[in-house]
Amino acid sequence: MAVTEPAPAVRPHPRGGIETARGETREGYEGILRRQSLRESAARTYARSLPIVPVRARGLTIEGADGRRYLDCLSGAGTLALGHNHPVVLEAIKKVIDSGAPLHVLDLATPVKDAFTTELFATLPGRLADDARIQFCGPAGTDAVEAALKLVRTATGRSGVLAFTGAYHGMTAGALDASGGAPDVRVTRLPYPQDFRCPFGVGGERGAELGARWTENLLDDPKSGARTPAAMILEPVQGEGGVIPAPDAWMRRMRQITEERGIPLIADEVQTGVGRTGSFWAVEHSGVVPDVMVLSKAIGGSLPLAVVVYRSALDAWEPGAHAGTFRGNQLAMAAGAATLAYVRENRLAERAATLGARMLACLQGLAATHPCIGDVRGRGLMIGVELVDPDAEITDAAGAAVPPPAPALAVAVQRACLDRGLIVELGGRHSAVVRLLPPLTLTDEQAGAVLDRFADALTAAERSLGHRREPGPTP
């Protein structure tokens, strides 16, 4: 398979400029960007760092209105498990449209919803699936987080929430409160374990153990100021926080701590689910079975869909306690069922684990000649490269000198990647982590092309900012 799908012919346009197969001229493409800048809010994000106008896409490839083709390692922020316009997704959508079935049904039962729910339950951890309820929410993951928080507060009669530094759970009020960047903290914040910038300055198992002890002490100390909460919410791999996988032993410890104290555990699998991390659900790496799972992004097969799945004992809601006009998205359910089945039947989670490990190893090898790479981490095809300034130092929690994050370099790398036809995202505490979220259908050849373009972009960005580079090995 070629690295990119064949692009349509690009030809001169009689009015001047360049025309793609869709008839868009370069002047038209630039006009679209200009009008977006004039009309859309200052809150727009991806459009600022990725000034392209997609007109066609398939698999890993996006074609812009300017006729250029890009390898998309953003994948709709992890939404596109099968890449753009996968045939099984298009066929599922087309089948519903051609059938004459209603596209909008609120929360009524339909064959499409029944098929989606059946397929979803078939993929869930067994001990949850055997005793689960599902709530269809508004179409964004943040609404599913809101529903989960509302659910546990109703079931427990408590209001507090335990959340973690670096977390990201969405942009609505309650979800943002539980996120690491909350401007007005109304939850109890706990340290999330990480090796490279451990909050205790030790990293590894010891750092995770200290975080767990802190959590236990906070909950058991009557003078800690933290009452028994309604829930703990965590991401098995922090995405926006900088692609930081939670240690499996720490995950099991959090499950033990919450279970012993009657605190529901909410796993936010909005970005980590559907094979992304090398298992169908990221909690499966540790064997943890949460009380609540928040799911969105890839479960809709590229269309908006969000659900909460939870133990039946928590189902204390009254009718209408959480609703939403667009919770019955039939096209998304059809696309989602097709995606879930394809990932399961073709063992794409296992493929993500294998290929992701290979890509991580290649990137770690790249760090040997690029001192600006501070850390390479991730799980499956959820990969992060933290960039640092090797010529500067800050002091970590243990008093050791460490290189500071380099957000300006990360921006330069992202721009250089785009110039080379590679779309990547930035994240992390200081937006200094380059994130790779390719589709699970990524081929070996495509993975090689992604890594080659990233390495070339990194070298160019280093040169442009004057960062030093270690010489490569002597032949």
Side-chain angles (χ1 to χ4, degrees), residues 178-241:
S179 300
D184 180 18
V185 177
R186 286 177 283 181
V187 301
T188 300
R189 195 78 58 195
L190 302 170
Y192 193 92
Q194 54 174 311
D195 291 340
F196 189 58
R197 299 195 187 277
C198 174
F200 303 106
V202 293
E205 292 182 6
R206 179 61 175 161
E209 172 64 19
L210 289 173
R213 288 188 182 184
W214 174 265
T215 301
E216 286 184 306
N217 182 72
L218 187 82
L219 290 170
D220 296 341
D221 181 357
K223 295 296 184 181
S224 68
R227 296 182 179 179
T228 303
M232 173 188 287
I233 183 169
L234 58 76
E235 300 159 274
V237 180
Q238 287 194 340
E240 295 297 322

Side-chain angles (χ1 to χ4, degrees), residues 150-171:
K150 187 186 296 184
L151 171 74
V152 294
R153 284 168 173 152
T154 300
T156 65
R158 304 189 291 261
S159 60
V161 175
L162 298 176
F164 290 87
T165 55
Y168 178 75
H169 299 292
M171 293 301 291

Side-chain angles (χ1 to χ4, degrees), residues 71 107 118 174 209 217 269 344 362 447 455 459 466:
L71 304 182
D107 67 350
T118 300
E209 172 64 19
N217 182 72
E269 291 253 18
R344 176 177 56 79
C362 289
T459 299

Side-chain angles (χ1 to χ4, degrees), residues 7 58 141 211 215 246 254 305 339 364 387 443 465:
R58 188 176 181 89
T215 301
M254 292 302 104
L305 187 63
T339 297
Q364 288 161 351
L387 300 180
T443 66
L465 295 183

Side-chain angles (χ1 to χ4, degrees), residues 3 58 61 125 141 184 217 247 287 306 333 335 352 357 371-372 386 441:
V3 170
R58 188 176 181 89
T61 308
D184 180 18
N217 182 72
M333 291 177 193
C372 68
E386 181 165 341
T441 52

